[in-house]
Amino acid sequence: QQPVQSPQAVILREGEDAVINCSSSKALYSVHWYRQKHGEAPVFLMILLKGGEQKGHEKISASFNEKKQQSSLYLTASQLSYSGTYFCGLSGNTPLVFGKGTRLSVIA
Amino acid sequence: NAGVTQTPKFQVLKTGQSMTLQCAQDMNHNSMYWYRQDPGMGLRLIYYSASEGTTDKGEVPNGYNVSRLNKREFSLRLESAAPSQTSVYFCASSDQTGGSYGYTFGSGTRLTVV
């Protein structure tokens, strides 16, 4: 049950904000967020655990709504370096199942 | 630098040839994974090893075999390559299967089967 990410792609100007959503049909245990730049490996950004504990990146925040089975990633005051594809990954103490990704492009 | 090392980085195979992708991590992680990434499909799990001595199938295991050689190394073998196996392959590791501190990925192997 692959999570559904939205939007599929977004273009921002530097300094603008963005929200990326990740929805699941299954109950969530933990949600991971990763960023992948073109031609590179995915890099871990943060994890949200059931119960609300958040671990990870200091400049990007996220929320985890257990009732709605949804997580959202918030990027504020975007920088050129934020460009890339963002993946959410869901785990129920099993290996991560990843969404198809959201391509984010930040332009000057 | 600590992390996950994959070899080779690039490979071209002819249909029917075999090869082994190598992966090693030096973070003392218990769990290791092989994912494949195809355009528009995200990352799909091929096989994983929750701990040394165990391996399990993921979402797309057909045509692949794995070996957890020791705690550090986890290899992926294609016995008879097919064009449908053209993809980018990523190895990853984590402290445990749920990955409380995230997964660390290798730099990937770009495989083309002709």
Side-chain angles (χ1 to χ4, degrees), chain B residues 100-111:
Chain B
S100 299
Y101 298 94
Y103 285 17
T104 301
F105 284 84
S107 58
T109 296
R110 283 148 184 81
L111 175 67

Side-chain angles (χ1 to χ4, degrees), chain A residues 1-8 19-26 28 31-33 68-73 86-90 97-102, chain B residues 41:
Chain A
Q1 293 85 350
Q2 189 173 34
V4 177
Q5 288 187 232
S6 62
Q8 289 184 323
V19 180
I20 299 172
N21 299 306
C22 175
S23 299
S24 171
S25 59
K26 291 176 60 176
L28 301 181
V31 180
H32 293 219
W33 286 96
K68 291 185 177 180
Q69 296 171 185
Q70 179 176 316
S71 177
S72 297
L73 186 71
Y86 289 77
F87 294 96
C88 66
L90 307 184
V97 179
F98 289 93
K100 293 184 178 181
T102 295
Chain B
M41 299 294 290

Side-chain angles (χ1 to χ4, degrees), chain A residues 49-106:
Chain A
L49 303 173
K50 192 172 182 180
E53 184 181 0
Q54 175 180 310
K55 302 178 185 178
H57 204 280
E58 60 183 22
K59 293 188 177 180
I60 297 173
S61 62
S63 65
F64 182 11
N65 187 321
E66 293 173 40
K67 274 191 176 180
K68 291 185 177 180
Q69 296 171 185
Q70 179 176 316
S71 177
S72 297
L73 186 71
Y74 304 97
L75 301 107
T76 56
S78 58
Q79 307 167 19
L80 293 175
S81 62
Y82 285 8
S83 293
T85 301
Y86 289 77
F87 294 96
C88 66
L90 307 184
S91 172
N93 214 25
T94 52
L96 290 179
V97 179
F98 289 93
K100 293 184 178 181
T102 295
R103 185 180 302 172
L104 178 73
S105 301
V106 182

Side-chain angles (χ1 to χ4, degrees), chain B residues 27-95:
Chain B
M27 296 170 287
N28 201 34
H29 282 166
N30 291 305
S31 301
M32 297 185 73
Y33 318 87
W34 279 103
Y35 285 89
R36 62 178 287 174
Q37 185 173 37
D38 302 294
M41 299 294 290
L43 293 146
R44 293 183 293 169
L45 182 67
I46 305 171
Y47 271 94
Y48 71 101
S49 172
S51 60
E52 187 178 356
T54 69
T55 60
D56 281 293
K57 295 179 181 179
E59 179 188 354
V60 288
N62 290 344
Y64 306 95
N65 284 301
V66 291
S67 295
R68 183 76 183 265
L69 304 170
N70 47 55
K71 191 171 185 178
R72 291 187 63 246
E73 298 173 288
F74 188 39
S75 63
L76 177 72
R77 182 160 178 84
L78 288 71
E79 291 291 352
S80 179
S84 61
Q85 294 178 305
T86 294
S87 187
V88 180
Y89 292 85
F90 287 102
C91 177
S93 70
S94 66
D95 57 335

